């Protein structure tokens, strides 16, 4: 018996989800580029390199700081709206709004720091994300003021408007994190991609002394630096946004030899891939090396 299929109606094609189309269009919104360029440059210049910038990126934590702070802020504001809806206590709602607005200060600082070192498509979405969250903050600040002057009903209404804006901002933040991979580790651990044991990489004599180069191990790109007879090997794609480390510069950071990513300035210790300075927060995968008697460099993933 022949299987029959229902023919598609002429002119009908599968439609994408409207929100996805809107966000794709937002990524291409070049009209936002001028204010983005001005603001991001000022943020980078204001912070400069140093410990404060590393803390705001989340380098000491090993992952971005902004999402953890954002959860706290949004949680406080959402809880305030829940208290309003259940009418369990105006004082509790005011306390939660005040806590949410207070936690928004470090949240914004960390978010701006991360945003200033993203790709332009990510920055466009992030710019609107910031505007919606600023709208939410203004709504909640107005809501708190109304409540403190005895206008509870109007305060609750403005609080609900703030929740809607904060929810839109959270949706944009999720798009940046899960669709655009902003803040994600772009240097996946390679230990499971490389078979067990030592693997031939190249001859020592084929490596320039003191200049980073890229070599391939199977389909994995590696950063390789020879200093005399010592060879250091890291994954080549920077964990921040996959920049090519072999095109970076070698520098001394806190007395350690480091490779500085050419895209956004993340610094990794060459010996083991540890993050010395952000915006990267994830360690760069490193490889152990040894020199065979015939002059061939062998590598395996470091434990």
């Amino acid at each position: 018996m022949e299987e029959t299929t229902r023919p598609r109606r002429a002119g009908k094609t599968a439609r994408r989800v409207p929100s996805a189309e809107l966000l794709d269009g937002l990524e291409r919104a070049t009209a936002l580029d001028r204010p983005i360029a001005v603001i991001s440059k000022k943020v980078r210049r204001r912070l400069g390199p140093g410990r404060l910038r590393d803390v705001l990126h989340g380098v000491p934590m090993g992952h971005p700081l902004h999402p953890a702070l954002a959860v706290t802020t949004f949680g406080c504001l959402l809880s305030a709206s829940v208290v309003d809806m259940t009418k369990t206590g105006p004082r509790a709602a005011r306390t939660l709004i005040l806590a949410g607005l207070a936690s928004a200060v470090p949240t914004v600082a960390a978010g701006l720091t991360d945003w200033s070192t993203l790709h332009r498509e990510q920055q466009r979405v992030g710019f609107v994300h910031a505007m919606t969250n600023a709208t939410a903050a203004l709504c909640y600040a107005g809501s708190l003021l109304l409540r403190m002057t005895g206008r509870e009903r109007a305060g609750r209404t403005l609080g609900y408007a703030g929740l809607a804006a904060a929810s839109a901002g959270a949706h944009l933040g999720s798009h940046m994190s899960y669709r655009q991979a902003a803040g994600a580790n772009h240097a996946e651990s390679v230990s499971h991609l490389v078979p067990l044991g030592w693997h031939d990489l190249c001859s020592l004599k084929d490596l320039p002394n003191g200049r980073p180069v890229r070599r391939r191990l199977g389909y994995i790109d590696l950063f390789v630096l020879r200093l005399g007879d010592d060879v250091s090997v890291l994954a080549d794609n920077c964990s921040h946004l996959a920049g090519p480390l072999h095109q970076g510069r070698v520098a001394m950071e806190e007395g350690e030899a480091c490779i500085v990513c050419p895209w956004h300035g993340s610094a990794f210790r060459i010996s083991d891939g540890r993050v010395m300075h952000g915006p990267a927060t994830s360690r760069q995968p490193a490889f152990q090396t040894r020199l065979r008697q015939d002059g061939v460099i062998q590598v395996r993933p470091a434990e």
Side-chain angles (χ1 to χ4, degrees):
M1 182 176 180
E2 293 185 0
E3 182 180 355
T4 59
T5 59
R6 186 176 180 177
R8 288 189 176 183
R9 188 176 298 178
K12 293 289 185 178
T13 57
R15 290 184 57 82
R16 299 187 62 190
V17 180
S19 63
E21 293 178 351
L22 180 62
L23 291 172
D24 286 346
L26 188 57
E27 293 179 15
R28 299 188 294 270
T30 57
L32 300 174
D33 288 354
R34 179 170 294 181
I36 286 173
V38 172
I39 297 172
S40 60
K41 183 178 181 179
K42 287 185 176 180
V43 171
R44 292 194 302 269
R45 183 180 298 172
R46 181 71 176 175
L47 285 174
R51 179 157 181 78
L52 176 60
R53 190 184 73 170
D54 288 343
V55 169
L56 290 174
H57 278 308
V59 173
M61 298 173 58
H63 58 77
L65 177 63
H66 175 69
L69 294 174
V71 168
T72 301
T73 302
F74 186 79
C76 289
L77 300 179
L78 175 62
S79 299
S81 294
V82 172
V83 170
D84 283 340
M85 286 185 285
T86 57
K87 298 180 180 180
T88 54
R91 183 177 179 181
R94 289 196 297 269
T95 302
L96 286 166
I97 291 174
L98 186 59
L101 291 175
S103 65
V105 175
T107 302
V108 170
L112 275 174
T113 303
D114 288 343
W115 172 82
S116 67
T117 58
L118 294 176
H119 292 322
R120 187 49 53 89
E121 292 80 8
Q122 297 166 329
Q123 286 184 322
R124 291 167 184 159
V125 179
F127 183 79
V128 181
H129 167 72
M131 293 302 99
T132 56
N133 285 334
T135 301
L138 289 174
C139 288
Y140 275 108
S143 173
L144 183 61
L145 181 61
L146 289 171
R147 294 166 195 262
M148 293 176 66
T149 56
R151 303 169 65 182
E152 287 289 339
R153 184 173 181 178
R156 288 196 298 269
T157 301
L158 194 54
Y160 295 144
L163 179 62
S167 299
H171 179 61
L172 291 169
S174 296
H175 179 82
M176 293 177 66
S177 297
Y178 298 111
R179 178 76 173 270
Q180 296 183 300
N185 178 10
H186 288 256
E188 181 186 15
S189 176
V190 296
S191 59
H192 66 287
L193 301 176
V194 180
L196 296 176
W198 292 93
H199 304 275
D200 294 347
L201 182 62
C202 61
S203 296
L204 179 66
K205 64 180 181 180
D206 293 335
L207 296 175
N209 191 29
R211 180 171 62 85
V213 294
R214 179 175 61 185
R215 293 291 183 265
R216 290 187 67 87
L217 180 64
Y219 52 86
I220 302 172
D221 288 331
L222 300 179
F223 159 92
V224 183
L225 176 63
R226 173 189 174 186
L227 296 174
D229 288 338
D230 294 327
V231 177
S232 298
V233 178
L234 303 174
D236 189 53
N237 294 333
C238 175
S239 64
H240 176 229
L241 286 175
L245 290 185
H246 73 281
Q247 294 181 11
R249 60 182 176 86
V250 178
M252 297 299 293
E253 298 286 347
E254 301 177 16
E256 302 281 356
C258 297
I259 181 66
V260 179
C261 180
W263 284 5
H264 301 105
S266 297
F268 302 93
R269 190 162 63 187
I270 291 173
S271 60
D272 60 2
R274 174 190 168 190
V275 180
M276 302 298 287
H277 293 296
T281 59
S282 298
R283 180 187 293 266
Q284 200 68 16
F287 287 73
Q288 293 178 323
T289 64
R290 71 179 184 185
L291 181 62
R292 270 188 354 203
Q293 291 184 351
D294 59 358
V296 172
I297 299 296
Q298 293 187 312
V299 299
R300 69 179 181 185
E303 297 179 358

